[in-house]
Amino acid sequence: MEDDMQIAEKIREPAQINVVALKAYARVADAWGLNLKEAAALADMSETTWKRAKKPDFAGDLTRDQLLRLSAVIGIYKSLELYFSEPLARDWFTRPNTGPLFGGGRPIDTAIEGGLPQILAVRTYLDALRGGV
């Protein structure tokens, strides 16, 4: 019975999940020095919506795609922080990269262009690096 109670306490309302995800994503965007256009595009939002979403009283809904994007980007951030030291951990996503996924481009640009599948591919790539695969 106690386990069921702990599980129930961990389940959050969708609006609460959105608030937490947006707050964490905003911190990542700031840490990486993303401009308004980049942060909005990476989250698959208009610049106007991203401006509103950054505010604590944002009551809008996130699509499943947007929530998955935010989650994956936060995962990318965590992987970079674990794998690299400063300042590379903060600059990696916005620096040109000759890795197989990026072809000399910046990971952020390929993530924006490729959408959720590319964001997930970047996350998998970093997890593999971190895991020594």
Side-chain angles (χ1 to χ4, degrees), residues 1-22:
M1 184 69 166
E2 188 175 309
D3 288 339
D4 291 342
M5 294 287 285
Q6 288 174 340
I7 292 169
E9 287 175 18
K10 290 182 182 180
I11 297 172
R12 298 189 173 165
E13 295 295 319
Q16 192 177 8
I17 292 170
N18 290 351
V19 168
V20 171
L22 287 166

Side-chain angles (χ1 to χ4, degrees), residues 2-131:
E2 188 175 309
D3 288 339
D4 291 342
M5 294 287 285
Q6 288 174 340
I7 292 169
E9 287 175 18
K10 290 182 182 180
I11 297 172
R12 298 189 173 165
E13 295 295 319
Q16 192 177 8
I17 292 170
N18 290 351
V19 168
V20 171
L22 287 166
K23 187 175 181 179
Y25 177 72
R27 287 183 181 162
V28 169
D30 287 343
W32 285 345
L34 303 185
N35 63 37
L36 179 68
K37 184 177 182 178
E38 290 169 333
L42 190 59
D44 195 29
M45 296 178 185
S46 70
E47 291 176 35
T48 305
T49 300
W50 173 236
K51 280 185 196 174
R52 285 195 324 265
K54 290 192 325 183
K55 296 179 181 171
D57 61 346
F58 179 71
D61 288 329
L62 295 176
T63 65
R64 178 177 161 85
D65 181 84
Q66 288 169 326
L67 197 54
L68 288 171
R69 282 171 179 254
L70 300 186
S71 175
V73 168
I74 293 163
I76 289 168
Y77 174 83
K78 289 166 89 175
S79 288
L80 290 170
E81 291 291 313
L82 290 169
Y83 192 67
F84 297 117
S85 59
E86 292 295 332
L88 184 56
R90 299 289 169 100
D91 295 343
W92 186 91
F93 203 63
T94 57
R95 292 174 57 163
N97 190 312
T98 57
L101 292 176
F102 315 112
R106 300 184 316 153
I108 186 171
D109 296 328
T110 65
I112 290 169
E113 291 166 20
L116 182 57
Q118 179 68 5
I119 294 168
L120 293 172
V122 172
R123 177 151 187 207
T124 301
Y125 173 77
L126 288 169
D127 288 345
L129 283 178
R130 201 176 82 216

